Amino acid sequence: MRAFTVPGTGAMASVTDRPVPRPGPGELRLKIEACGLNFADLLMEQGKYQDMPEPPFTLGMEVAGVVDALGPDVEGPSPGTRVAVFGGQGGLAEFGCFPAKRTVPLPDGMSATHAAAFQVAYGTSHVALHHRAQMQPGETLLVLGAAGGVGLTAVEVGKLMGATVIACARGADKLEIAAKAGADHVIDATSDDIRARVKALGGADVVYDPVGGEQWQAAFRVCKPEARLLPIGFASGEVPQIPANHLMVKNLSVLGVYWGGYLKFRPEVVTDSIRTLLGWYAEGRLKPHVSHVLPLERARDGLELLRARKSTGKVVITP
């Protein structure tokens, strides 16, 4: 089979021929139909991700496909079932073996492309806003990087939860996409004064930040008392420092969010969230935005789209 594999520490991934894997205890094998790319794939290739596998390994954290075989003593889902799964790695290939207990059956009518673009982005936003921030209807949510993979889902999920959503992104095209996803107000990070604009809108109760850097600093200064700040990632390359005295003065809370971490110590947080989100999808309340669908041979191009911030929503690879 073909797989987009990192051969060693610090080496760049490439498409190579590898043996079709056999599922072990607790695993099933998927014939992979689609794999969603994440910024974490870039970090993993660079050896900078917080949860690194030992090389060689195949990139690709979240996939959708058809169950092809079951490992020893695995009772289901049965071969032929369409499922999605967050495996953490192994998705950019024609076949992959993943923990059976993590698989999620797909609703009727959900395409493999949408399923592969769904779990990490929507799951991160829902767990962040519902479980971590416990955001309430009527609160104001500021979303940075609002046209990106996770940011756009935060706009959608925040609006469904009853928030007034302020979306911050780069350029008119991206702001238009955020507005279509439900943003009440938009801010152009390339030309607008984020601090002044949000302050004029009354400040933020919740800040959702996958960017870091200067945008975090601006958002930090427009928080209302008892606001909650959610660091999701650091696409700017700069991990912000947090002045504890400012937290104290405004009674602010900074709540770290690593969606994949819950699979290790509280998996029910993830499974309950995904169940809710799939229900919303089945009702037509969530509409995944996929800006690029590329074949496996162009996986490198897909990663470059993320690196250069030229994609909106998700990039999906179809082996």
Side-chain angles (χ1 to χ4, degrees), residues 220-289:
F220 191 89
R221 293 177 178 274
V222 293
C223 286
K224 298 179 184 180
E226 294 193 326
R228 290 87 74 204
L229 297 102
L230 300 160
I232 307 297
F234 313 104
S236 67
E238 180 182 343
V239 179
Q241 302 303 302
I242 300 168
N245 58 323
H246 289 195
L247 296 179
M248 180 182 69
V249 169
K250 281 192 173 182
N251 291 292
L252 304 179
S253 299
V254 178
L255 306 167
V257 182
Y258 172 35
W259 179 83
Y262 278 106
L263 292 169
K264 297 180 179 179
F265 69 95
R266 286 193 64 189
E268 71 278 5
V269 171
V270 169
T271 54
D272 290 349
S273 173
I274 291 295
R275 188 178 299 112
T276 296
L277 290 165
L278 287 175
W280 287 349
Y281 179 91
E283 294 167 0
R285 302 173 72 187
L286 295 177
K287 301 183 185 302
H289 178 82

Side-chain angles (χ1 to χ4, degrees), residues 5 8 15 22 24 53-54 61 77 88 107-108 144 192 195 200 202-203 212 221 227 229 244 262 284 311:
T5 300
V15 177
R22 293 185 177 182
E54 288 293 325
M61 305 182 78
D108 292 340
L144 305 180
D192 293 337
R195 181 180 178 185
R221 293 177 178 274
L229 297 102
Y262 278 106
S311 61

Side-chain angles (χ1 to χ4, degrees), residues 61-83:
M61 305 182 78
E62 56 179 332
V63 302
V66 178
V67 177
D68 174 69
L70 302 178
D73 300 321
V74 175
E75 296 182 356
S78 59
T81 305
R82 298 178 65 246
V83 301

